[in-house]
Amino acid sequence: MNTLLVGAQWGDEGKGKIVDVLTEKHDVVFRSQGGNNAGHTVWIGPKKYVLHLVPSGILRPGCICLIGHGTVVDPLSLVEEIKGLHKQGIKTKGRLFISDRAHVVMPYHRVLDKGREAAAKGKKIGTTGRGIGPTYNDKASRVGVRIGDLLNKQKFTVSVKERVQEVNKLAKQNGWETVKAEQVLKDYLSAGKFLSGYITDTAVKVNELVAKRKKIMFEGAQGTLLDIDCGTYPYVTSSNTTSAGLCTGSGLAPNRVGKVVGALKAYTSRVGEGPFPTESQDIADMLHALGREFGATTGRARRCGWLDGVLIRYAAIINGIDEFAITNLDGLDTLKTLKIAVAYRLGNKTLTAPPAAIEDLYACKPVYKTFKGWQSDTTKIRSFRKLPRNAQIYLQAVEKIAGAKIKIVSVGPKREQTFSV
Ligand code: GDP
Ligand code: IMO
Ligand code: MG
């Protein structure tokens, strides 16, 4: 069966780890939205890998990996990522394919990203600074450059020169750094040469693989609440991070997807700005003291808080989540009491779904249900039956609140620290 994995919160739910675990039963892993704003951590034995655009399946020998037309690709960063994998003995030739239709992140997109953030002052989004928003912006404005264009020197040169001129004008007006078209052309055409053997029509490719009965695993990036339409707009990323978006970005039709799995942390984390109703400095301090919850891409300390049932129930509906994979249960091991938000109070109203207006979400006060902690180490447990009773009660409550079964539990970053329910 084909499986689609999405993040059910604000990203960093442990998608990389769960994809790695589930890849054992799949032949292909597909990244079909987002860019190198993502950071997916996978541990194999004592070795830690952080993948940004290359699908986590690359770490499983023989697995085919696709980067779809819904992604935005920074070719220089991708070349670096691929070379880094080669240095670690991981082969990519004949296994990794990049869509010729994916949009290219250019240096001027990063200039625009950083410039807008700096100018936004109190309203900054806290982006990763990777140029993601401006690249999707150019795509929607139909002035973007696509990966296939890297192989057409003349076309690429004309497009880049035109756009560099426009962006540099804006940059000069705002006091931002400008870019040199000649240098961009040199670097990008050289990256294009390196990537040429990987570029293909991944939409056709995935459908060929499906026809051959290969099993596809979709590796969602970011999370539901960062989705450009369903997320906490404007504090979101610029792609559709939800299950339907993964189909759009890949060219595999929705009726070819078998199952939707939602990756979920046992608590909540968020990097960057924006509302976070269940945020708790105490939980953040406790996790940071353990050396946990620092961003895999930017190294920023993640904001942390209680599990938010309103948001995960919403994620379950929007994505059509059939089952959850819950990670970082061990992060709650030391707590005496735990809380899950089951609704929000907004003025005199009770809400069971997040409101659209950001000022309303800022004003929402969570209504909590309290649970007894288990205060014991779960990292060596390998079955639901062996979990402390209070941990079982907590997980059962999550299922009830979110409206979908938990089928995978993760109690540590390693592959083996995982069990099925
Ligand atoms: P992703 O972006 O969703 O792939 O998640 P990240 O890799 O950015 O962040 C998840 C972090 O949690 C990484 O450091 C993982 O190694 C770690 N992790 C995943 N599952 C578990 C777990 O069950 N327990 C612990 N302690 N760490 C986990
Ligand atoms: P993975 O795939 C967590 C956040 C940024 C910022 C907002 C917009 O590892 O879960 P962008 O650079 O995309 O324009 O930033 O989105 N963000 C993520 N947060 N995990 C991610 O990816 C993220 N990718 C983007 O911090 O708040
Ligand atoms: Mg991450």
Side-chain angles (χ1 to χ4, degrees), residues 24-58:
E24 200 176 5
K25 297 199 179 93
H26 294 80
D27 307 293
V28 179
V29 180
F30 206 143
R31 255 298 297 276
S32 60
Q33 44 70 227
N36 64 344
N37 47 350
H40 296 178
T41 315
V42 180
W43 282 86
I44 297 176
K47 237 175 157 178
K48 176 180 162 180
Y49 299 84
V50 179
L51 294 141
H52 297 289
L53 194 56
V54 175
S56 301
I58 206 76

Side-chain angles (χ1 to χ4, degrees), residues 190-249:
S190 152
K193 232 179 229 162
F194 180 92
L195 295 174
S196 60
Y198 297 94
I199 299 173
T200 189
D201 185 334
T202 48
V204 169
K205 179 118 194 132
V206 73
N207 282 287
E208 283 170 1
L209 289 162
V210 168
K212 286 185 193 156
R213 302 197 173 278
K214 300 288 182 202
K215 295 191 178 56
I216 320 293
M217 171 88 222
F218 282 87
E219 178 171 353
Q222 291 82 50
T224 302
L225 280 312
L226 288 172
D227 182 281
I228 183 85
D229 290 306
C230 308
T232 49
Y233 190 89
Y235 299 97
V236 292
T237 191
S238 300
S239 66
N240 282 113
T241 60
T242 39
S243 55
L246 269 58
C247 290
T248 320

Side-chain angles (χ1 to χ4, degrees), residues 139-152:
K139 172 180 173 172
S141 300
R142 291 150 297 177
V143 292
V145 178
R146 304 200 292 182
I147 285 288
D149 299 336
L150 288 174
L151 308 181
N152 182 337

Side-chain angles (χ1 to χ4, degrees), residues 396-409:
Q396 282 161 347
V398 173
E399 291 184 325
K400 208 162 164 212
I401 292 162
K405 287 278 174 206
I406 293 171
K407 290 285 184 173
I408 297 173
V409 178

Side-chain angles (χ1 to χ4, degrees), residues 5 7 11-19 37-43 48-51 56 219-222 263-265 267 269 271 287 291-297 302 326-331 379 409-414 417-418:
L5 181 116
D12 303 328
E13 297 90 348
K15 297 177 295 291
K17 169 178 169 165
I18 300 300
V19 167
N37 47 350
H40 296 178
T41 315
V42 180
W43 282 86
K48 176 180 162 180
Y49 299 84
V50 179
L51 294 141
S56 301
E219 178 171 353
Q222 291 82 50
L264 177 72
K265 251 180 198 160
Y267 47 92
S269 72
V271 212
L287 292 162
R292 292 167 59 162
E293 298 306 341
F294 292 94
T297 295
R302 294 176 183 147
I326 193 161
T327 69
N328 288 272
L329 185 68
D330 54 305
T379 58
V409 178
S410 167
V411 289
K414 304 281 174 71
Q417 291 176 301
T418 320

